[in-house]
Amino acid sequence: MGAGMEADEGVMATDFFWSYTDEPHASRRREILAKYPQIKELFGPDPWALLKIAVVVSLQLWTATFLRDASWLKLLTVAYFFGSFLNHNLFLAIHELSHNLAFTTPSLNRWLGIFANLPIGVPMSITFQKYHLEHHRFQGVDGIDMDIPSQAEAHAVKNAISKSVWVVLQLIFYALRPLFLKPKPPGLWEFTNLAIQVALDASLVYLHGWRSLAYLILSTFVGGGMHPMAGHFISEHYVFSPDQETYSYYGPLNLMTWHVGYHNEHHDFPRIPGTRLHKVKEIAPEYYESLRSYRSWSQVIYMYIMDRTVGPFSRMKRKAPKKDS
């Protein structure tokens, strides 16, 4: 394993960490299933997913209409301290749906994802699924895993100030990065996602005014930046220990984030819904208790910004497998 820095020098990396072994999850999955085959009983959809999503979508859309005459300060305040939690919850519901964890039929998960997308304000559900599944199949693979910052991002972020700006804008980078680095031609599902989202946004503006839509967009933006729930973007795969590339979070915000904090468990068993991931750790504790984990996403953001050795280059990469000629 190589890296573009020596952490003990207190200098930020100038290259990614490079691994010359396979990602750790497939082999650990095989080992755990061989030892604890009962884990397969945890596979399958979450029967409450539809109800949970419907409640959050309804509450957030109602809030947007309620705030149609609110001042901009009130919009921003409610967006940060309330709406951001709902929209980030829906973003992570879409993550859950990308693994077909609401229904056994993939198309039903896509339709529910388009519905969950509505309060987010910007169509992203279908496109997210395409790129996210590659993140699982090709974790860290150069040019394929779009979860990893681009060279341009990494070279631009040099200190605590630029890292702070990057954190505030990380949702924008996260959304636009694949469109520039690895664009995929849109299909019928993407156009359906776009059409339904535009119809909702236009109806909201027509019936209740621009401020209702602005509240939804603000909730999405601030919830993906300098916000406790957005700490998972950093905690999941940013390398704070050179010998570990995926990290779990076992704090209380899991209750609002579809338990995405159980991230080692999720990558080991992506067919298990978030509500059951804690059982993986209970059944096979010896595989997880020795791994470094977090209890606070806010602390992770603080560590990322203030640690001079950590930045966008603090990710594990591996070379793409060579194609047979």
Side-chain angles (χ1 to χ4, degrees):
M1 184 183 300
M5 71 161 185
E6 293 295 334
D8 57 359
E9 291 181 2
V11 177
M12 192 180 295
T14 56
D15 192 10
F16 295 100
F17 289 87
W18 287 92
S19 174
Y20 301 100
T21 61
D22 291 336
E23 56 86 9
H25 301 289
S27 58
R28 188 160 61 218
R29 181 186 311 121
R30 289 191 294 268
E31 195 173 327
I32 292 175
L33 284 176
K35 190 173 182 180
Y36 301 106
Q38 67 267 35
I39 281 182
K40 288 185 178 179
E41 297 172 10
L42 303 176
F43 290 8
D46 174 1
W48 296 99
L50 172 59
L51 178 62
K52 289 187 286 188
I53 291 169
V55 168
V56 177
V57 168
S58 300
L59 178 57
Q60 183 68 323
L61 291 179
W62 177 85
T63 304
T65 63
F66 180 77
L67 293 171
R68 59 186 174 272
D69 297 319
S71 67
W72 286 107
L73 179 60
K74 184 175 182 179
L75 279 181
L76 182 58
T77 302
V78 177
Y80 189 86
F81 291 102
F82 180 71
S84 57
F85 289 90
L86 298 184
N87 275 14
H88 210 97
N89 172 278
L90 292 172
F91 174 79
L92 291 168
I94 289 169
H95 166 262
E96 192 90 340
L97 295 168
S98 73
H99 293 285
N100 295 321
L101 291 173
F103 304 103
T104 54
T105 305
S107 61
L108 293 180
N109 289 279
R110 293 193 191 103
W111 281 117
L112 186 54
I114 291 171
F115 175 69
N117 196 154
L118 293 176
I120 292 173
V122 179
M124 47 73 64
S125 176
I126 300 300
T127 303
F128 172 83
Q129 180 182 27
K130 280 187 174 181
Y131 289 103
H132 183 70
L133 295 181
E134 287 186 341
H135 164 62
H136 274 265
R137 296 191 192 108
F138 304 99
Q139 181 175 314
V141 174
D142 188 29
I144 300 179
D145 185 356
M146 291 292 107
D147 191 68
I148 297 175
S150 65
Q151 287 279 349
E153 290 170 67
H155 282 295
V157 176
K158 298 293 186 183
N159 52 45
I161 294 175
S162 54
K163 279 194 279 185
S164 297
V165 173
W166 184 88
V167 168
V168 170
L169 301 176
Q170 65 178 327
L171 194 62
I172 295 175
F173 289 120
Y174 191 88
L176 296 182
R177 187 186 303 138
L179 303 182
F180 284 97
L181 298 183
K182 195 172 184 286
K184 294 177 181 289
L188 180 60
W189 278 106
E190 281 90 347
F191 287 117
T192 303
N193 191 180
L194 174 65
I196 292 175
Q197 189 65 54
V198 169
L200 181 280
D201 292 351
S203 299
L204 197 63
V205 172
Y206 179 77
L207 294 172
H208 302 284
W210 283 100
R211 295 198 181 199
S212 291
L213 179 59
Y215 164 74
L216 295 181
I217 301 296
L218 280 171
S219 296
T220 298
F221 177 72
V222 298
M226 197 74 74
H227 189 281
M229 288 177 78
H232 77 90
F233 287 125
I234 296 172
S235 73
E236 291 166 358
H237 298 291
Y238 279 79
V239 176
F240 287 84
S241 298
D243 58 344
Q244 187 175 329
E245 63 180 291
T246 304
Y247 301 76
S248 287
Y249 157 84
Y250 300 124
L253 285 177
N254 273 314
L255 294 172
M256 302 181 69
T257 56
W258 297 79
H259 299 83
V260 75
Y262 286 81
H263 216 66
N264 267 299
E265 295 85 345
H266 169 62
H267 270 264
D268 289 351
F269 298 101
R271 294 172 63 189
I272 297 178
T275 51
R276 298 182 207 138
L277 284 174
H278 68 281
K279 295 182 180 180
V280 174
K281 188 168 181 279
E282 291 171 4
I283 292 170
E286 68 272 25
Y287 288 93
Y288 300 102
E289 289 180 349
S290 61
L291 297 175
R292 182 174 176 179
S293 61
Y294 303 112
R295 292 281 178 179
S296 168
W297 276 329
S298 297
Q299 183 185 26
V300 170
I301 294 175
Y302 177 81
M303 289 163 47
Y304 175 81
I305 291 172
M306 300 308 295
D307 188 334
R308 291 183 298 172
T309 67
V310 177
F313 274 128
S314 300
R315 291 292 299 263
M316 194 73 70
K317 270 195 170 189
R318 40 184 58 84
K319 298 289 187 183
K322 293 181 179 179
K323 295 181 180 179
D324 297 331
S325 56

